[in-house]
Each structure stands twice: as structure tokens, then as C-alpha cells.
């Protein structure tokens, strides 16, 4: 069987509803959906059997983006203005694959500034509310 891999990009990342939607793909240099699973230890019972421990699952949308502070329609300033708010998101790691991940996340402000004479870049981490959904996208 041939090895199959995913090349990231060109893709899309949007955050916000129809009225507040912001396209981030031109600013992000890295983006990924990160799962986090926690399981509790099993519980031993008198019969010698075990009762499975509880399992919890959460997700974050993480990555890095170029800062555009001061620009018209700045994504850096949009994140600052909407910090702590829940907004829908849509992420396509590679538009040619015909799949996207959608859900709701909590926007957080990103760092502003950095080293002199460099293109300022900031890491971000947005908590995803509930479980995201993988959906099919019609490829034009």
C-alpha cells in the first residue's frame, strides 16, 4: 500500500459569523486542530473486575500568525476586540482535499510587538467549544 500524506495549504481559515467573518489564511503560517484526551484510572471492584474510568475530550485550534497591527481590517486587532467571545470557525488544511473542520471557538488576544527589524509573528491558542465537525466541501 502506498504511503499517503497531507500537505498543508493552500487552505482556508475563517473565524466569525456572516456579519463579523474574518479570513485568516493570508496571515497564518501554521494552524492545527489539537485534541486533548484525559482518562481516569479504572476502579477495581470486589468481583475482580474493573469499571472503566471516565474519559474527557477537548480541542484547541493552535498556530502562529503574522501580526498586522495598524492595518485596515487587522486580524491582530480583531482578535483583541473580540477576546473572550465565542465565534464559529471553519478550517480547511488543504482546499484540494474537499474536507473542512467547523465548530465554535473562544477568541483570545494575541501578542502585539516583537523583536526590532523583524516581521512580528504571534502564537495563538483558541479553545474549541464542544467537539468540532469534519464535513465535505464541494470542490469547484
Amino acid at each position: 500500500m502506498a504511503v499517503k500524506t497531507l500537505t498543508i495549504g493552500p487552505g482556508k481559515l475563517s473565524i466569525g459569523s456572516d456579519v463579523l467573518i474574518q479570513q485568516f489564511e493570508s496571515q497564518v503560517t501554521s494552524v492545527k486542530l489539537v485534541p486533548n484526551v484525559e482518562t481516569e484510572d479504572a476502579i477495581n471492584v470486589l468481583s475482580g473486575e474493573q469499571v472503566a474510568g471516565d474519559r474527557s475530550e477537548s480541542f484547541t485550534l493552535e498556530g502562529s500568525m503574522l501580526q498586522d497591527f495598524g492595518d485596515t481590517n487587522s486580524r491582530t486587532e480583531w482578535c483583541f476586540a473580540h477576546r473572550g467571545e465565542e465565534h464559529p470557525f471553519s478550517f480547511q488544511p488543504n482546499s484540494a482535499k474537499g474536507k473542512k473542520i467547523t465548530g465554535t471557538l473562544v477568541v483570545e488576544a494575541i501578542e502585539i510587538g516583537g523583536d526590532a527589524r523583524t516581521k512580528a509573528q504571534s502564537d495563538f491558542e483558541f479553545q474549541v467549544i464542544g467537539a468540532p465537525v469534519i464535513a465535505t466541501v464541494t470542490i469547484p
Side-chain angles (χ1 to χ4, degrees):
M1 175 183 260
V3 174
K4 298 183 180 188
T5 63
L6 171 66
T7 299
I8 304 301
K12 297 179 181 179
L13 174 62
S14 63
I15 301 175
S17 63
D18 293 339
V19 177
L20 292 175
I21 196 159
Q22 290 289 314
Q23 300 301 130
F24 281 80
E25 59 266 13
S26 293
Q27 294 303 121
V28 294
T29 59
S30 168
V31 62
K32 58 187 172 184
L33 180 70
V34 179
N36 181 36
V37 176
E38 294 183 18
T39 55
E40 294 180 359
D41 293 337
I43 301 168
N44 296 316
V45 295
L46 184 58
S47 67
E49 298 169 293
Q50 290 187 323
V51 175
D54 289 339
R55 178 186 184 276
S56 65
E57 178 181 71
S58 62
F59 294 86
T60 54
L61 190 71
E62 300 177 14
S64 296
M65 64 184 281
L66 297 168
Q67 296 177 25
D68 59 356
F69 183 74
D71 286 348
T72 304
N73 298 321
S74 166
R75 277 59 159 203
T76 302
E77 293 175 49
W78 188 90
C79 289
F80 186 86
H82 296 282
R83 66 192 182 279
E85 296 177 2
E86 293 182 12
H87 288 276
F89 76 93
S90 178
F91 169 42
Q92 285 182 265
N94 183 314
S95 297
K97 294 291 186 178
K99 295 285 186 171
K100 69 179 177 179
I101 301 162
T102 62
T104 301
L105 54 71
V106 178
V107 174
E108 299 297 348
I110 64 168
E111 294 176 317
I112 298 173
D115 295 332
R117 296 188 177 265
T118 64
K119 291 186 179 358
Q121 189 167 330
S122 296
D123 293 334
F124 62 86
E125 183 176 320
F126 302 145
Q127 176 188 0
V128 175
I129 307 300
V133 175
I134 296 176
T136 300
V137 176
T138 303
I139 301 173

